[in-house]
């Protein structure tokens, strides 16, 4: 026999049943709704269910009567559409930042945002080229603490580490805690970085969030700095990738097959000078191994035209690597 308290929960249980068991392709008949409520110890009549369905519509839920194999009721529109949830699942599953266990937990929670039928479609098999997952299981909470500190105008403290060859943590500064003013978080090359400000050095520095641990919001007020000096796009350009080093203007020549690659790297407003099946650009780059390696991967389809000392840097790097491999061959022969 149904209890009075259960009867008072009838509308909530009805919503739960519709959210979990129905969608635009799966409906429940009136009798199936009554049977499902009975499993929660709730007896109801058809006319009261009609009234409850109308209440849910008036509140904003998209409750519709549709024909599947038979006529029935469903919630056919939700906050997240199935393609959007699939996209989120793909992002979680392929993220290098999130551990395997945390990925599975998040995907299971995303499944709660749709029907049990659609949730099965969220068991995706994303090809990630065996992308390694983070070994730091606390990254998720570190990000939350950083955001809290930024929003509350506080400093953070944390320990920072590297991995040795046995995959054991080796803490920098002899495990002494870092303390700084968090400025922002940025995503680069599938990794999260914290950009922070240190008043002592009047400068900015960045740290990989997955190499931070024991992140705590400090009781100290964040240091003030001239925000006009900090341009996130500029900082990222200088600190990450091909622009980490001495910046200079260089003239580069590429084969026409590399147009998309060049536009991805330097932007769609990059000016081209065309010559047969080649084109030249003049852009700001750095004299760094990262940039030189980026150019080298294209073989004879890419060439540094100038300045001369950047061409010489490429020659020096190639000669150094050639000697290393020559020595390696001799060593093992």
């Amino acid at each position: 026999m149904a209890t009075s308290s259960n009867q008072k929960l009838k509308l909530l249980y009805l919503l739960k049943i519709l959210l979990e068991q129905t969608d635009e392709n799966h409906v429940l008949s009136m009798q199936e709704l009554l049977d499902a409520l009975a499993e929660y110890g709730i007896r109801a009549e058809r006319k009261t269910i009609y009234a409850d369905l109308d209440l849910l519509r008036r509140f904003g839920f998209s409750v519709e009567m549709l024909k599947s194999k038979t006529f029935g009721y469903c919630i056919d529109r939700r906050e997240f559409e199935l393609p959007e949830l699939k996209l989120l699942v793909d992002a979680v599953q392929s993220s290098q930042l999130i551990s395997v266990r945390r990925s599975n937990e998040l995907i299971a929670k995303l499944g709660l945002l749709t029907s049990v039928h659609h949730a099965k479609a969220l068991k995706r098999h994303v090809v990630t080229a065996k992308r390694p997952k983070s070994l730091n299981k606390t990254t998720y909470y570190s990000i939350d603490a950083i955001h809290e500190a930024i929003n509350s105008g506080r400093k953070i403290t944390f320990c920072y580490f590297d991995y040795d060859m046995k995959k054991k943590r080796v803490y920098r500064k002899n495990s002494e805690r870092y303390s700084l003013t968090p400025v922002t978080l940025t995503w680069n090359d599938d990794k999260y970085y914290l950009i922070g400000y240190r008043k002592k050095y009047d400068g900015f520095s960045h740290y990989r969030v997955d190499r931070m641990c024991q992140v705590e919001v400090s009781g100290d007020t964040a240091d003030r700095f001239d925000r006009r000096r900090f341009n996130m796009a500029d900082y990222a350009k200088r600190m990450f990738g091909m622009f980490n080093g001495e910046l200079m203007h260089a003239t580069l020549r590429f084969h026409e097959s590399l147009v998309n690659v060049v536009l991805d790297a330097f932007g769609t407003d990059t000016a081209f000078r065309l010559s047969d099946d080649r084109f030249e650009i003049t852009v700001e780059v750095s004299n760094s191994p990262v940039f030189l390696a980026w150019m080298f991967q294209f073989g004879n389809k890419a060439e540094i035209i100038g300045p001369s000392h950047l061409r010489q840097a490429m020659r020096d790097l190639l000669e150094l690597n050639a000697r290393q491999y020559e020595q390696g061959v001799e060593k093992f022969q």
Side-chain angles (χ1 to χ4, degrees):
M1 184 175 177
T3 64
S4 174
S5 60
N6 276 357
Q7 287 299 117
K8 291 178 180 179
L9 293 172
K10 175 164 63 71
L11 184 62
L12 294 176
Y13 277 118
L14 179 62
L15 176 60
K16 174 181 170 67
I17 292 164
L18 289 168
L19 287 172
E20 290 181 351
Q21 300 184 32
T22 73
D23 53 56
E24 65 274 19
N25 299 315
H26 302 86
V27 301
L28 291 178
S29 68
M30 178 57 69
Q31 187 58 53
E32 287 172 327
L33 288 175
L34 294 171
D35 292 342
L37 284 169
E39 292 181 7
Y40 290 107
I42 297 173
R43 291 166 54 187
E45 297 178 356
R46 288 173 179 263
K47 64 178 182 180
T48 63
I49 299 301
Y50 288 129
D52 288 338
L53 293 173
D54 187 55
L55 278 175
L56 292 175
R57 291 190 193 98
R58 289 164 58 188
F59 188 74
F61 288 100
S62 180
V63 180
E64 300 291 342
M65 185 175 75
L66 301 176
K67 186 179 187 320
S68 180
K69 295 180 180 178
T70 182
F71 283 101
Y73 298 89
C74 71
I75 291 182
D76 68 337
R77 292 195 306 275
R78 299 164 189 261
E79 194 70 29
F80 287 94
E81 297 179 5
L82 183 59
E84 294 172 328
L85 289 175
K86 288 180 178 179
L87 183 64
L88 291 173
V89 167
D90 289 351
V92 168
Q93 193 167 351
S94 60
S95 174
Q96 197 174 0
L97 173 72
I98 309 171
S99 68
V100 173
R101 182 178 67 85
R102 182 63 64 186
S103 292
N104 292 334
E105 291 175 354
L106 286 175
I107 291 170
K109 291 178 181 178
L110 288 172
L112 298 177
L113 299 176
T114 188
S115 70
V116 292
H117 312 287
H118 281 173
K120 294 176 183 177
L122 298 181
K123 295 180 180 179
R124 313 275 280 166
H125 297 283
V126 183
V127 178
T128 58
K130 295 184 178 179
R131 180 174 296 172
K133 285 285 192 177
S134 171
L135 294 177
N136 186 356
K137 298 179 181 179
T138 63
T139 302
Y140 200 69
Y141 302 104
S142 297
I143 294 171
D144 188 53
I146 292 168
H147 278 300
E148 181 185 343
I150 292 174
N151 292 334
S152 61
R154 299 287 179 178
K155 291 183 179 181
I156 61 168
T157 64
F158 59 93
C159 292
Y160 201 62
F161 64 88
D162 301 294
Y163 289 107
D164 64 16
M165 290 190 294
K166 295 181 179 179
K167 300 180 183 178
K168 301 294 185 183
R169 294 181 181 184
V170 179
Y171 290 91
R172 295 189 185 182
K173 296 173 58 174
N174 294 319
S175 299
E176 182 183 341
R177 295 183 69 81
Y178 288 68
S179 174
L180 54 72
T181 295
V183 177
T184 188
L185 286 163
T186 186
W187 186 264
N188 185 76
D189 194 23
D190 205 28
K191 296 178 180 64
Y192 244 137
Y193 290 86
L194 164 69
I195 312 298
Y197 172 75
R198 291 178 182 277
K199 185 176 181 180
K200 178 179 179 180
Y201 304 106
D202 190 26
F204 302 93
S205 52
H206 61 277
Y207 303 85
R208 272 182 54 174
V209 178
D210 62 323
R211 299 287 169 84
M212 299 167 63
C213 67
Q214 302 173 40
V215 180
E216 297 178 0
V217 180
S218 169
D220 297 334
T221 303
D223 291 323
R224 292 189 174 186
F225 59 91
D226 185 355
R227 290 193 173 272
R228 292 173 297 180
R229 289 176 47 209
F230 181 74
N231 181 292
M232 185 62 238
D234 241 15
Y235 185 90
K237 184 177 178 181
R238 291 174 180 273
M239 292 297 105
F240 304 119
M242 295 187 296
F243 305 96
N244 185 9
E246 174 197 357
L247 291 176
M248 64 186 69
H249 284 89
T251 300
L252 313 173
R253 180 184 295 151
F254 299 92
H255 186 264
E256 60 182 353
S257 62
L258 297 177
V259 167
N260 291 332
V261 174
V262 171
L263 292 180
D264 286 344
F266 299 103
T268 55
D269 58 347
T270 304
F272 286 6
R273 296 183 296 278
L274 308 181
S275 177
D276 297 326
D277 64 345
R278 305 269 166 169
F279 63 95
E280 291 185 3
I281 62 173
T282 298
V283 291
E284 192 176 48
V285 300
S286 70
N287 186 354
S288 69
V290 175
F291 166 70
L292 298 176
W294 183 81
M295 288 291 292
F296 175 76
Q297 70 179 308
F298 304 119
N300 63 1
K301 291 185 176 181
E303 180 183 1
I304 299 171
I305 304 302
S308 58
H309 64 278
L310 189 59
R311 284 180 64 89
Q312 183 62 49
M314 176 64 91
R315 284 196 296 268
D316 293 344
L317 183 63
L318 294 174
E319 290 173 3
L320 176 64
N321 279 272
R323 287 197 300 271
Q324 176 177 315
Y325 279 93
E326 286 171 1
Q327 294 170 357
V329 170
E330 293 171 359
K331 179 179 179 180
F332 293 105
Q333 280 181 342

